[in-house]
């Protein structure tokens, strides 16, 4: 289905527009959807940046990347982000150059950005305690960010217990 706005590109977003008793189905391509949402939501600067990041993430999931990101290239080896994403290979500078895009991709895929590995059963208990403390600290940050203060207090107390038992 073609975009209702430009009539050129394939529509990837559909929504229902209601005004009074009038109901209209709207189909838009990535470019027109971004323009339309920015126009409709520019009245509030606070949500404008959130809309930008939402659209970027949405278009990453649908395969309609921002053209600037695809053309972004590593200053060391010249690999573009598009090539880097397809091959998953690059020089050490590629990982620094594309760090924000990689972080975003890992978050979308629900992968951790740090490999933890397994702890052998024969390992010292201190290793397990350290791992638990790291996981609890991450949970504590998340609880505080989501304003779950009772949960944060319980996690804080558990971290304190682990530190005192060392």
């Amino acid at each position: 289905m073609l975009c209702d706005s430009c009539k050129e590109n394939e529509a990837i977003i559909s929504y229902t527009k209601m005004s009074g008793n009038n109901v209209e189905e709207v189909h838009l391509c990535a470019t027109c959807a971004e323009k339309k949402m920015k126009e409709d939501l520019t009245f509030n600067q606070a949500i404008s940046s959130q809309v930008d990041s939402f659209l970027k993430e949405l278009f990453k999931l649908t395969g309609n990347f921002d053209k600037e990101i695809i053309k972004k290239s590593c200053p060391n080896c010249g690999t573009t982000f598009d090539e880097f994403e397809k091959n998953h290979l690059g020089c050490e500078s590629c990982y620094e150059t594309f760090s924000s895009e990689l972080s975003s991709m890992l978050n979308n895929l629900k992968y951790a950005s740090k490999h933890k590995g397994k702890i052998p059963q024969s390992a010292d208990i201190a290793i397990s305690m350290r791992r638990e403390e790291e996981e609890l600290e991450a949970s504590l940050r998340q609880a505080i960010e989501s304003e779950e203060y009772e949960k944060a207090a319980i996690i804080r107390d558990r971290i304190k217990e682990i530190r005192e038992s060392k």
Side-chain angles (χ1 to χ4, degrees):
M1 178 178 298
L2 288 179
C3 174
D4 291 339
S5 182
C6 69
K7 309 265 192 260
E8 294 174 9
N9 300 321
E10 187 70 25
I12 62 160
I13 293 178
S14 296
Y15 68 93
T16 304
K17 181 179 177 181
M18 296 172 32
S19 56
N21 291 334
N22 191 16
V23 178
E24 178 185 1
E25 183 87 14
V26 180
H27 308 282
L28 300 172
C29 67
T31 307
C32 293
E34 185 173 5
K35 270 192 252 176
K36 177 72 174 153
M37 289 185 84
K38 282 183 180 178
E39 287 170 8
D40 289 350
L41 298 172
T42 53
F43 65 90
N44 188 340
Q45 290 297 332
I47 62 171
S48 185
S49 64
Q50 293 173 343
V51 170
D52 284 344
S53 64
F54 167 74
L55 290 171
K56 285 179 184 171
E57 296 304 316
L58 176 67
F59 297 143
K60 282 181 186 177
L61 293 174
T62 61
N64 295 296
F65 286 97
D66 186 356
K67 291 176 180 119
E68 292 173 19
I69 293 173
I70 294 174
K71 291 179 183 176
K72 186 176 181 180
S73 63
C74 174
N76 189 41
C77 67
T79 301
T80 64
F81 178 71
D82 191 35
E83 295 168 340
F84 181 80
E85 187 190 25
K86 287 177 186 171
N87 302 326
H88 302 290
L89 297 171
C91 70
E92 65 277 359
S93 296
C94 286
Y95 293 93
E96 292 173 25
T97 304
F98 306 124
S99 63
S100 61
E101 290 83 4
L102 289 171
S103 176
S104 174
M105 286 171 54
L106 290 173
N107 287 338
N108 285 340
L109 298 172
K110 304 293 185 228
Y111 290 122
S113 58
K114 180 180 176 185
H115 178 69
K116 293 181 181 180
K118 292 183 181 179
I119 298 175
Q121 288 181 345
S122 61
D124 186 20
I125 189 78
I127 295 172
S128 297
M129 298 291 275
R130 191 172 345 130
R131 170 75 59 82
E132 183 181 0
E133 185 179 353
E134 289 172 1
E135 290 172 355
L136 285 170
E137 286 173 348
S139 297
L140 178 62
R141 282 190 295 275
Q142 189 175 20
I144 291 170
E145 285 175 12
S146 60
E147 298 180 5
E148 298 178 55
Y149 299 115
E150 293 87 7
K151 183 179 177 181
I154 293 168
I155 296 169
R156 178 206 59 210
D157 294 343
R158 178 65 184 135
I159 292 171
K160 186 177 179 182
E161 286 174 17
I162 291 172
R163 289 181 179 160
E164 288 173 354
S165 68
K166 286 183 181 179

